[in-house]
Amino acid sequence: MRKTLQVFLALGLLLLTFVPQSQAAYVSRFDAINFDPAVDSGNYFTVYGSRTHKAWQGNLGFYGDYANRPLEFKGTGTTSGRQSVLDHMFLIHAYGSLGFTDWFTAGINIPFAAYNVYFSDDATAAEDSGGGMGDIRIITKFRFLDVDKTHVGISLLPFVSFPTGDIVRYNGNGHIMGGANLIFDFEIKRFSMALNAGYTMRDDVTRTFVFTGGATSSIRMDDLVTAGVGANFKVSKHFQIILEGQGSTVLKDFLSNSNTTAFEAGGGVRLFLGNSGFTMDLGGTAGIVEGVGTPRYRGILGLN
């Protein structure tokens, strides 16, 4: 297992050297991928708990993620209505993590858009469909307070993502992004809950979209304030119920613009497949505030 995880992480880093040379000329964009799985497979789907792996233990997994209309823009001022840019997006996330000490873990997520339906920025353009890479993300986690000893845990999770994604179909950002999440969680018997609060540094990007009829509307993305909350109910040895909510807002607008504020919430179940070491996740979310990347609804299926 140790060698497998090391190879997996090495392959992810190697992929970074094969980014097409044309991407060097890419201008900054923003992506519509808001589902980012917790690569160390804690008690939740996308929200991180404070635990780290023990030294040289780790985790591998895959998620399938379907998002319905993850990118629409809304008119402002005299322009009204909504215009879809991405109608359907189906992604596969391959991820892994490895403990280097009992308090430090590193991991990687490699997203791939297997299929999407894309209408471009212009409502008069023809429908397009296809797939492509998303931005590869590397995470690190430092544990400061051990939830197994005190029932309360605290960790810090710095991360960086690389511009490996397809910026044309809003699967990539076209620039390096980074940030950190502060993780707080607690556990009492069969119940656990976690709160993630973070900051993401990214380029200041404005995209202008064209409505049917020629009217335009712009979306400006910049540094993000992010938050997530998760709850886990251990119903039995082989069955758990997971509830989650996660979102972000552009710092310069801070909750004042629905185009740049995203929030979705939902839940699902985790099944432990006997004593095999495998788990299966099944769940979904609904868009509450439909900013960039928030779908009308999302379905996920994972094997870990």
Side-chain angles (χ1 to χ4, degrees):
M1 173 62 77
R2 174 179 170 180
K3 289 184 178 180
T4 301
L5 287 164
Q6 290 173 325
V7 169
F8 186 87
L9 292 171
L11 286 174
L13 294 172
L14 185 63
L15 282 173
L16 299 178
T17 66
F18 289 94
V19 178
Q21 293 301 313
S22 59
Q23 291 216 18
Y26 278 175
V27 295
S28 289
R29 294 283 186 97
F30 52 80
D31 68 10
I33 301 175
N34 279 4
F35 181 83
D36 188 31
V39 302
D40 59 357
S41 186
N43 290 332
Y44 317 99
F45 300 141
T46 62
V47 173
Y48 279 90
S50 65
R51 280 190 181 89
T52 50
H53 295 310
K54 294 186 182 299
W56 308 117
Q57 293 185 356
N59 176 69
L60 292 171
F62 299 89
Y63 267 111
D65 158 34
Y66 167 74
N68 180 264
R69 294 198 174 186
L71 181 57
E72 297 182 307
F73 61 93
K74 297 174 278 295
T76 58
T78 58
T79 303
S80 61
R82 303 169 68 89
Q83 183 70 48
S84 178
V85 178
L86 282 171
D87 255 13
H88 308 280
M89 178 183 285
F90 177 69
L91 288 106
I92 296 173
H93 303 261
Y95 60 89
S97 57
L98 180 66
F100 290 89
T101 72
D102 289 349
W103 49 266
F104 172 70
T105 290
I108 185 171
N109 178 45
I110 306 171
F112 178 77
Y115 180 77
N116 58 31
V117 176
Y118 165 69
F119 288 97
S120 87
D121 306 339
D122 189 337
T124 63
E127 174 184 319
D128 182 22
S129 62
M133 284 290 296
D135 286 352
I136 293 174
R137 175 171 290 203
I138 304 291
I139 72 99
T140 56
K141 186 196 285 189
F142 300 85
R143 176 174 54 77
F144 301 116
L145 190 60
D146 190 345
V147 69
D148 293 318
K149 294 180 179 179
T150 64
H151 299 292
V152 175
I154 298 175
S155 289
L156 182 67
L157 188 142
F159 63 86
V160 62
S161 64
F162 298 91
T164 54
D166 178 1
I167 65 170
V168 175
R169 295 187 177 93
Y170 291 90
N171 295 330
N173 291 281
H175 58 274
I176 293 176
M177 301 197 318
N181 286 314
L182 182 64
I183 302 165
F184 170 82
D185 64 353
F186 70 91
E187 293 190 4
I188 301 175
K189 295 183 179 180
R190 292 178 176 268
F191 176 74
S192 63
M193 191 169 185
L195 174 66
N196 296 177
Y199 190 82
T200 300
M201 295 176 290
R202 50 157 301 120
D203 284 0
D204 187 343
V205 177
T206 299
R207 296 293 297 164
T208 299
F209 302 87
V210 181
F211 280 85
T212 303
T216 62
S217 180
S218 295
I219 296 177
R220 182 182 181 182
M221 297 294 289
D222 201 354
D223 288 2
L224 298 171
V225 177
T226 63
V229 61
N232 180 296
F233 303 86
K234 295 178 173 63
V235 178
S236 71
K237 180 180 178 181
H238 298 294
F239 182 75
Q240 297 178 0
I241 296 173
I242 298 172
L243 302 177
E244 282 194 348
Q246 60 95 10
S248 64
T249 186
V250 171
L251 180 62
K252 291 180 178 178
D253 294 332
F254 201 77
L255 303 178
S256 64
N257 187 334
S258 60
N259 277 326
T260 57
T261 298
F263 184 75
E264 60 186 284
V269 298
R270 175 166 293 167
L271 305 175
F272 290 76
L273 306 181
N275 297 316
S276 65
F278 286 90
T279 62
M280 180 177 291
D281 292 344
L282 179 64
T285 62
I288 309 299
V289 183
E290 295 183 348
V292 170
T294 300
R296 292 187 173 183
Y297 57 88
R298 183 190 307 277
I300 61 170
L301 176 64
L303 180 67
N304 186 74

